[in-house]
Amino acid sequence: MTTIAGIGFTAPWLLLALLALPLLWLLLRAVPPAPRTRLFPAVTLLLGLRDDDSLSDRTPWWLLLLRLMAVAAAIVGLAGPVLNPTATPTGRGPLLVVLDGSWAGAPDWDRTREEIDHLLAEAGRADRPVAVLRLTAPQPPQFQSAASWRRQIIGEAPQAWQPTPEQLARARTQIDTLEGGFDSLWFSDGLTYEGRDDLLATLRQRGRLTVYEHATPRLALRPVVYVDGAMEITVVLSSPQAASDDGRGATGPGAGEDQTVTVLAKGPDPGGTMRTLGSVTVDFADPDSTSADGSEATARLSLPAELRARIRLFELQGQTSAGAVSLADDGLRRREVALISAQSGNEGLALLSPLHYLRKALAPTADFLEGGLSDLLPANPDVIVLADTARLPPDQEAAVVDWATEGGLLLRFAGPRLAASDTARTDEEPLLPVRLRIGGRSIGGAMSWGEPKTLAPFAEDSPFFGLNIPPDVTVSSQVVAQPDPSLAERVIAELSDGTPLVTRKPLGNGQIVLFHVTANAEWSSLPLSGLFVQMMERLAISSGAKPAEAVDLEGTTWAPLQVLDGFGDLFDADALPGVAGPDLIAATAGPELQPGLYQNGDRRIARNVMRTGDQLTPAQWPLGVPVNGYGATPERPLGGLLISLALLLLALDVIAALLLSGLLPRQPQTSASKMRNMISLLLLTTSVWVISPGHETRSHAQGNAIAIEEVTPSPPSDPAADALAAERAAELTLAHVLTGDPQVDQLARDGLQGLSNTLRFRTSVEPAPPAAVDLEHDELAFYPLLYWPVTANQAMPSGAAYDRLNTYLRTGGMILFDTRDADLTRAGASSPAGRRLQQLALRLDVPPLEPLPADHVLTRAFYLLQDFPGRHNRGAVWVEAAPADAQQVEGIPFRNLNDGVTPVVIGGNDWAAAWAVDDNGRPLLPVGRGYAGERQRELAYRFGVNLVMHVLTGNYKSDQVHVPALLDRLGQ
């Protein structure tokens, strides 16, 4: 593209035709040949007559100017003028677009895609082949047309990790396989990482390199730790001295007056709904909480143990990236442990000295509960420890069994009382993992010939596998398990002679663990060693208030439960493989180790983007590499506008030429009447462009004016269609779009029937039976809400169908797009249905969208909602974006968004499947499991009711008159 006077031209050589305008001027004003003289006697009859109208022998100057302007406008329009052309380096040949594609670029991802789209459009105009290389998921570069990549770049999303050295090495290998030279555009996320310099050198060897980088500093959260009774929260900043020296719109701490960020602690309430449980402000301007170089700031948050135990994650308010999220695990939550020891056979229970060593081992990381067992069970402790307790009263035993079945851990220690009792001698007891022999076993005491026994190495299937056994840990006495077929699978630690030391069995969702020695040093030296503390940690009795170390997890494998995407959203990780314990702590995050929550037995460890001690280092680029910022003004093609102007000028030229040649009726007229006729003729000429094909026009003269009428042929009347239209107009009807897939269409119909039933039972709305809509033939105005299930193979609507859809959206209708893929991926990101939705929406007048905010009227149109599940419950819901100037008034729980109904709602939660009922009104498909699943289905119905109420009533629930009632419902 060539830029002239700030305007770009895609075909600048056409501008050479402007040089011919002077010659055209001369040709147009040339004098016509002189008339020949002939004698004709009858001409004398014309002498003395006056000719009121005279014709010029030259073309008037203003008509010449009009024609030249028309020709010039056509030439410039055909040259492809573009206002605000993209300022990209000029060049020819292949172009490689390199994307960091990490979490650090997530907050500006939309702007990054816009910038890439502008540059790809410029490359397309220059006929440059383009390839895209994503460093967080490198694939061999494929040079294709720029138009092809513009369609594909829409589905790209950042990853939750930075490019790893292995990925960068693979990217360099892939670049080395490319033949010839090429230019490169590197879209940096603003942070440096290991191996980047080698890739930079490789790209510079192949051609010119230009870097695009946003100037906003990056923020991230380190893992939150529990220190001295409070949670210590550290926020890391990539650029303490604001963004950059070129002033490219830096924002965030260090770039303006406000140098504070807010950290939110989130977790489920008793009903399971995620809420903000606490918040704290981190101030980078406070020297007491900020490091010397200003790169990190710390704040402390203190919450009651009950709330602290519910925290699932911390996040930076207003930041949408995986680095701005810190997941909580067992290391944050101090477990509640009830320590109980028997004073005598059937007497009351109390905390006595046999638990002294357990107290010392667990005091730094656990909260102790004191009192009798009957008093402690209602508090629902995480762990109950019974030291040398032979038997519990029947009512207490039944209560402990119920508690353990719900997920509790009962930890028992042997002793003289247990050894001397007849507990579990003949039959297995529910609160003991194995049957026991009477009397116990003395190995190295004064009355024994043998030596104290040491511990055997832990088996691979033991939770203690990988722990180092000190040689001075010995056992002199123990209770012995009786041989049973199930004994081998319940032994998790044994002595060197093969006798069980620790046994375990599951009980419902909980487990029963027995140490066959005492909890003090009477029978063994185990309680005196550090191994005892490590074994408690492996059993998840203590939560590591101190961060776990790689050596502590040696020999363990951790299964991912949930992982983060680049935007900081959690999703299930069912298909991901397990991770070795040491790698979980020490290895670099990547596709094999994705940030998220990992589990081993009852223990959970969060692997966050940032580790303790990690820093954010801003990217530095060598001299000679140009670095551009974002924020370019969008391009605006001017070719169509100039061509239209040329056609309009030519129309005026036709009218003027007809008037000057006398071919139009000429009557003595005033100047005003001439002007009226000129305007009328202009309307007559230009009406050809306005009236659509298939219509007829007729004109008739009224005085000195010409009126234009549009005549549309009337289609023949269809009585059945008229009756159906009258029926649809008389009653509220929900409709779904036919996709061509009979199974999907039937499920959509059953889903809307279930929603209609719910509206009829719970509200004053009484819908008619749902209708199926064929976009190519049916009128849409009768239906306030269209449910559109998107399928991967759905046919694209025709132009006429798109016209009807856009008219429907502009006149107050709502379309609920459902990709039904929230169980697979983010709606609209990379699933086949999501890609089809992108294609379907290209020709729709869809406004800017945003994830449904917490104060949107859909959250309170009829029910108060915070989640909007269908058959799936983790997909995002997108609605029309709120105005940029929408603000929340103090004392009002929501912003003033009373500006109409969002025309589209987009999600992937498969709402129709959750709504669907059979002819008897019973649910067709299962949702979730048990009560939680039925609760999810109920929330899906409530979301459907809110949708219909939003369509019918608009944003009336945003009116301040509803504030007192809403505040009362919200408990504020």
Side-chain angles (χ1 to χ4, degrees):
M1 179 182 294
T2 301
T3 302
I4 302 175
I7 298 179
F9 292 91
T10 58
W13 55 272
L14 283 176
L15 297 177
L16 296 176
L18 294 175
L19 299 177
L21 290 182
L23 179 61
L24 183 62
W25 173 277
L26 296 175
L27 292 176
L28 291 176
R29 69 186 301 270
V31 179
R36 295 182 180 181
T37 302
R38 290 288 185 269
L39 296 176
F40 183 58
V43 78
T44 56
L45 298 175
L46 302 178
L47 296 177
L49 296 178
R50 189 181 66 177
D51 189 0
D52 294 331
D53 296 327
S54 60
L55 297 177
S56 174
D57 60 348
R58 293 178 180 270
T59 304
W61 68 269
W62 55 267
L63 184 57
L64 285 175
L65 182 61
L66 183 68
R67 293 173 177 175
L68 292 180
M69 290 174 59
V71 174
I75 293 174
V76 177
L78 293 174
V82 177
L83 187 63
N84 303 319
T86 303
T88 185
T90 58
R92 296 290 178 184
L95 180 67
L96 178 64
V97 178
V98 180
L99 292 172
D100 276 357
S102 71
W103 63 266
D108 306 306
W109 191 251
D110 290 339
R111 300 188 66 181
T112 299
R113 288 194 299 191
E114 292 175 2
E115 196 74 19
I116 294 175
D117 186 72
H118 294 329
L119 295 173
L120 290 179
E122 175 68 16
R125 286 189 288 266
D127 293 330
R128 304 184 69 179
V130 178
V132 175
L133 179 61
R134 294 159 293 181
L135 299 182
T136 49
Q139 297 293 332
Q142 300 289 334
F143 284 99
Q144 304 174 13
S145 67
S148 174
W149 279 113
R150 291 184 70 182
R151 292 189 296 268
Q152 298 179 48
I153 206 69
I154 298 175
E156 295 296 332
Q159 302 294 343
W161 58 85
Q162 287 187 295
T164 63
E166 294 77 12
Q167 289 176 322
L168 294 178
R170 188 160 66 249
R172 291 197 305 272
T173 302
Q174 294 168 355
I175 292 174
D176 290 339
T177 61
L178 300 177
E179 298 180 358
F182 50 83
D183 295 338
S184 301
L185 302 179
W186 192 329
F187 286 84
S188 170
D189 292 339
L191 300 179
T192 190
Y193 40 83
E194 183 182 354
R196 191 200 65 164
D197 293 339
D198 294 336
L199 179 62
L200 179 66
T202 301
L203 292 175
R204 296 185 72 181
Q205 292 174 358
R206 305 301 293 270
R208 179 170 46 194
L209 172 64
T210 304
V211 174
Y212 287 81
E213 182 177 280
H214 201 277
T216 304
R218 305 302 175 190
L219 292 168
L221 271 175
R222 283 187 186 154
V224 178
V225 295
Y226 189 84
V227 179
D228 297 333
M231 293 170 286
E232 190 172 276
I233 301 172
T234 302
V235 181
V236 185
L237 177 65
S238 67
S239 181
Q241 305 299 327
S244 64
D245 297 333
D246 57 4
R248 293 190 299 241
T251 60
E257 296 181 358
D258 186 8
Q259 300 188 29
T260 63
V261 292
T262 301
V263 181
L264 306 178
K266 292 189 173 183
D269 63 10
T273 302
M274 288 291 290
R275 297 188 183 276
T276 299
L277 304 179
S279 64
V280 65
T281 299
V282 181
D283 190 357
F284 278 84
D286 184 3
D288 295 332
S289 61
T290 307
S291 62
D293 61 356
S295 63
E296 60 184 73
T298 303
R300 293 173 62 83
L301 176 63
S302 180
L303 291 176
E306 293 78 6
L307 287 180
R308 191 175 67 244
R310 293 180 185 167
I311 295 177
R312 295 294 179 266
L313 59 88
F314 299 83
E315 68 177 19
L316 293 175
Q317 189 176 32
Q319 297 286 323
T320 55
S321 73
V325 175
S326 178
L327 300 175
D329 57 15
D330 295 339
L332 179 63
R333 185 169 69 92
R334 291 169 61 91
R335 290 204 162 202
E336 295 180 339
V337 179
L339 299 179
I340 298 172
S341 174
Q343 186 173 8
S344 61
N346 287 321
E347 296 181 5
L349 303 178
L351 296 172
L352 300 176
S353 58
L355 301 173
H356 171 76
Y357 294 99
L358 272 173
R359 287 180 178 276
K360 293 293 185 181
L362 300 179
T365 58
D367 294 327
F368 298 128
L369 299 181
E370 300 180 1
L373 182 58
S374 300
D375 298 329
L376 296 180
L377 277 175
N380 193 27
D382 298 298
V383 181
I384 293 178
V385 179
L386 297 180
D388 196 16
T389 300
R391 189 181 298 276
L392 295 175
D395 57 337
Q396 292 186 2
E397 180 176 335
V400 173
V401 169
D402 294 339
W403 167 82
T405 303
E406 295 298 324
L409 170 63
L410 178 63
L411 179 63
R412 305 192 63 168
F413 286 87
R417 291 182 178 85
L418 183 61
S421 71
D422 59 352
T423 303
R425 300 304 184 223
T426 58
D427 299 320
E428 183 178 321
E429 297 282 343
L431 297 183
L432 281 172
V434 295
R435 293 190 302 121
L436 302 176
R437 292 182 179 178
I438 298 177
R441 174 193 184 199
S442 179
I443 304 172
M447 302 300 293
S448 172
W449 292 98
E451 295 291 333
K453 299 296 183 181
T454 58
L455 274 65
F458 299 116
E460 290 188 3
D461 58 350
S462 169
F464 310 133
F465 177 70
L467 294 182
N468 183 35
I469 301 176
D472 57 347
V473 175
T474 59
V475 175
S476 57
S477 296
Q478 66 173 145
V479 293
V480 181
Q482 293 197 40
D484 272 325
S486 60
L487 177 62
E489 64 185 26
R490 296 183 179 183
V491 175
I492 56 177
E494 60 186 8
L495 299 179
S496 56
D497 62 357
T499 56
L501 176 64
V502 184
T503 54
R504 177 179 65 175
K505 77 171 181 180
L507 183 62
N509 293 325
Q511 55 182 328
I512 310 297
V513 178
L514 172 65
F515 276 72
H516 291 239
V517 294
T518 57
N520 56 21
E522 184 178 354
W523 285 11
S524 74
S525 61
L526 178 63
L528 303 176
S529 68
L531 176 63
F532 186 65
V533 178
Q534 294 176 324
M535 295 174 74
M536 296 299 103
E537 292 178 350
R538 288 290 181 95
L539 289 173
I541 293 177
S542 66
S543 63
K546 60 178 182 180
E549 298 181 0
V551 66
D552 298 331
L553 304 182
E554 192 71 41
T556 61
T557 300
W558 296 77
L561 292 179
Q562 292 179 307
V563 293
L564 291 167
D565 64 8
F567 296 103
D569 296 327
L570 278 169
F571 61 94
D572 294 335
D574 299 332
L576 294 179
V579 177
D583 291 342
L584 183 63
I585 304 300
T588 303
E592 291 80 20
L593 177 59
Q594 301 188 23
L597 193 62
Y598 291 77
Q599 182 176 27
N600 177 275
D602 289 335
R603 291 191 67 189
R604 294 188 179 187
I605 290 183
R607 171 56 196 261
N608 291 294
V609 172
M610 299 290 292
R611 295 173 293 183
T612 302
D614 283 354
Q615 297 286 345
L616 299 181
T617 305
Q620 301 292 332
W621 302 95
L623 295 176
V625 175
V627 180
N628 298 332
Y630 290 179
T633 306
E635 296 181 347
R636 182 180 179 183
L638 301 177
L641 181 63
L642 290 174
I643 294 297
S644 299
L645 177 61
L647 293 175
L648 179 60
L649 294 176
L650 290 176
L652 293 175
D653 174 72
V654 170
I655 297 172
L658 292 175
L659 288 174
L660 292 177
S661 63
L663 296 179
L664 291 180
R666 300 173 60 86
Q667 301 176 4
Q669 299 172 354
T670 64
S671 299
S673 63
K674 290 182 178 180
M675 183 61 66
R676 286 197 301 270
N677 277 351
M678 182 75 71
I679 296 175
S680 300
L681 290 173
L682 177 60
L683 292 175
L684 175 62
T685 305
T686 57
S687 63
V688 177
W689 307 335
V690 179
I691 300 175
S692 60
H695 292 65
E696 298 176 359
T697 62
R698 67 170 177 261
S699 62
H700 58 275
Q702 296 180 351
N704 294 325
I706 298 179
I708 308 295
E709 294 184 3
E710 179 178 336
V711 180
T712 304
S714 299
S717 177
D718 184 355
D722 293 344
L724 180 62
E727 179 184 350
R728 292 285 186 261
E731 296 185 82
L732 184 142
T733 306
L734 304 180
H736 65 92
V737 176
L738 292 173
T739 64
D741 187 330
Q743 185 176 359
V744 173
D745 294 339
Q746 182 62 38
L747 184 61
R749 187 263 177 205
D750 294 336
L752 293 183
Q753 183 62 58
L755 179 58
S756 298
N757 294 344
T758 302
L759 289 166
R760 186 177 300 106
F761 296 148
R762 303 185 184 184
T763 72
S764 59
V765 179
E766 297 183 358
V773 171
D774 183 354
L775 296 178
E776 301 297 333
H777 305 98
D778 294 340
E779 175 57 50
L780 307 180
F782 302 121
Y783 313 105
L785 174 66
L786 283 183
Y787 175 76
W788 192 333
V790 181
T791 62
N793 300 321
Q794 184 172 352
M796 295 293 292
S798 65
Y802 271 113
D803 292 340
R804 279 192 290 272
L805 285 169
N806 287 324
T807 301
Y808 174 78
L809 294 176
R810 286 192 296 268
T811 53
M814 176 191 287
I815 301 178
L816 173 60
F817 291 96
D818 191 353
T819 55
R820 305 171 296 113
D821 58 357
D823 60 328
L824 302 175
T825 180
R826 294 171 57 89
S830 59
S831 70
R835 290 190 291 270
R836 196 53 165 177
L837 174 58
Q838 295 169 4
Q839 298 169 357
L840 290 170
L842 286 177
R843 296 180 60 183
L844 289 177
D845 294 335
V846 177
L849 302 177
E850 67 176 356
L852 196 149
D855 59 348
H856 195 275
V857 72
L858 271 176
T859 63
R860 58 186 182 278
F862 192 84
Y863 291 102
L864 293 180
L865 297 176
Q866 290 189 342
D867 296 305
F868 314 94
R871 197 179 187 193
H872 315 305
N873 62 357
R874 65 181 181 85
V877 179
W878 294 77
V879 296
E880 182 179 4
D885 57 350
Q887 297 181 355
Q888 183 172 346
V889 180
E890 184 177 358
I892 307 299
F894 45 78
R895 294 171 293 172
N896 182 14
L897 304 178
N898 193 11
D899 58 351
V901 177
T902 175
V904 296
V905 177
I906 299 177
N909 284 336
D910 199 3
W911 287 287
W915 298 335
V917 296
D918 59 16
D919 294 337
N920 296 320
R922 293 174 299 195
L924 274 179
L925 298 174
V927 174
R929 296 182 180 178
Y931 173 80
E934 290 307 310
R935 175 64 178 171
Q936 182 175 328
R937 189 191 305 277
E938 171 62 21
L939 290 178
Y941 279 127
R942 294 186 178 187
F943 172 62
V945 172
N946 278 18
L947 268 178
V948 176
M949 289 301 178
H950 181 42
V951 173
L952 298 180
T953 63
N955 284 347
Y956 87 106
K957 274 295 181 70
S958 288
D959 295 338
Q960 295 187 12
V961 68
H962 300 283
V963 170
L966 290 173
L967 287 176
D968 183 66
R969 290 287 307 281
L970 291 170
Q972 298 181 6

